[in-house]
Amino acid sequence: MQFRISPKKIALFLLAAVCLLLALALLLLTYGEWRVSKTGRFTFDNLADVPYNKVALVLGTSKYLVGGGHNPYFMNRINAATELYNNGKVDYILVSGDNATVQYNEPRLMRRALIKAGIPASAIYMDFAGFRTLDSVVRAREVFGQASYTVVSQKFHNERAIFIAHRFGIKAIGYNARDVEPEEGIKTRTREIFARFMSLLDLYVLSKEPKFLGKPIEIGAPQPCSPLSTLGTLQPCLAQSATTTP
């Protein structure tokens, strides 16, 4: 006797499996949102409430929108970092972001914007290997020697950065840059839901580490000046005295 399953039963089984997978995905995304949002208590909206840290870590983003025009997330982060420095909340600013191509260089654009805002070049350091938030957060300690610092980004991004930092034993707090209007940030906030889940996966399942580390850079210590093509990468710098032949 041949046993056959009707097409209708197969369709119902597949529909139930899809619904179960969607429910599971929704549950995981909700859990990620809840876990990461708990770090919101370590962020500050009011400048006067922000404790002092030696360094502010400014997380990178594109200066320009894909469709043209300036990216408000970028300028709002620059303004927030400037406020911290000008009010004595930090002594140095570390700008960290992607440096994928010669044409796309987030740290250099952030540095130029900060200098334009009045921040001295000697107070700005650049991290060119901040490809992801995890890279920026961990490299701030492993490369730039900061076991505690103030993260500068929008609140939703600060929460995720601090969540990662605390997992690595870094004492991070956040100063929340001004956010954009809700209707302007729908795409970014939707992407953030998935980014929060990926953070949980990276930290608790995949045990992700930064893509690159490198030689330690001591923030605040004089560094030998680099060649002219990269001058300003390590600030402040001291010109090396020429050696004379007896």
Side-chain angles (χ1 to χ4, degrees):
M1 182 177 178
Q2 190 175 9
F3 180 74
R4 297 182 62 183
I5 302 176
S6 68
K8 184 177 180 180
K9 287 184 177 181
I10 294 175
L12 288 173
F13 175 79
L14 292 175
L15 179 61
V18 169
C19 290
L20 182 62
L21 289 174
L22 289 175
L24 179 60
L26 182 61
L27 180 64
L28 290 173
L29 292 174
T30 303
Y31 177 71
E33 178 73 16
W34 173 74
R35 277 293 302 275
V36 174
S37 65
K38 288 176 68 177
T39 61
R41 67 182 187 274
F42 297 102
T43 70
F44 299 87
D45 293 309
N46 189 349
L47 180 65
D49 296 333
V50 181
Y52 168 83
N53 265 318
K54 179 181 177 181
V55 173
L57 170 64
V58 186
L59 299 176
T61 187
S62 174
K63 183 177 180 179
Y64 302 102
L65 299 171
V66 176
H70 287 81
N71 180 3
Y73 288 111
F74 177 94
M75 205 61 227
N76 290 347
R77 294 180 196 183
I78 295 300
N79 292 339
T82 302
E83 290 172 358
L84 287 175
Y85 183 86
N86 288 340
N87 287 274
K89 298 295 184 176
V90 297
D91 295 325
Y92 298 95
I93 299 174
L94 172 61
V95 290
S96 179
D98 197 353
N99 178 33
T101 66
V102 176
Q103 291 77 23
Y104 188 81
N105 193 313
E106 291 175 353
R108 284 199 187 280
L109 289 175
M110 288 191 288
R111 180 177 183 273
R112 289 172 185 170
L114 286 167
I115 292 174
K116 188 175 180 180
I119 306 299
S122 59
I124 306 169
Y125 285 73
M126 292 186 287
D127 177 13
F128 294 106
F131 304 111
R132 301 175 61 194
T133 301
L134 184 145
D135 295 77
S136 297
V137 165
V138 178
R139 283 175 55 83
R141 182 184 66 182
E142 298 300 321
V143 176
F144 294 89
Q146 303 307 303
S148 64
Y149 50 77
T150 302
V151 186
V152 178
S153 189
Q154 279 66 34
K155 183 178 181 179
F156 66 86
H157 196 188
N158 278 344
E159 288 176 346
R160 178 158 51 92
I162 294 169
F163 176 75
I164 295 169
H166 288 183
R167 176 64 178 171
F168 280 91
I170 300 167
K171 296 178 181 179
I173 59 172
Y175 180 45
N176 300 325
R178 181 182 176 185
D179 210 336
V180 302
E181 295 299 322
E183 61 272 14
E184 296 178 42
I186 293 176
K187 183 178 178 181
T188 300
R189 295 307 301 271
T190 302
R191 188 168 62 243
E192 177 65 20
I193 294 173
F194 293 93
R196 292 184 174 207
F197 170 70
M198 285 305 302
S199 293
L200 290 174
L201 194 64
D202 286 344
L203 296 176
Y204 293 98
V205 179
L206 302 176
S207 299
K208 282 277 188 177
E209 296 285 341
K211 187 174 182 180
F212 299 113
L213 287 177
K215 296 180 179 179
I217 299 172
E218 184 181 352
I219 291 182
Q223 302 282 345
C225 288
S226 302
L228 185 60
S229 60
T230 58
L231 188 61
T233 299
L234 305 177
Q235 290 285 356
C237 68
L238 294 177
Q240 294 176 319
S241 58
T243 56
T244 56
T245 304

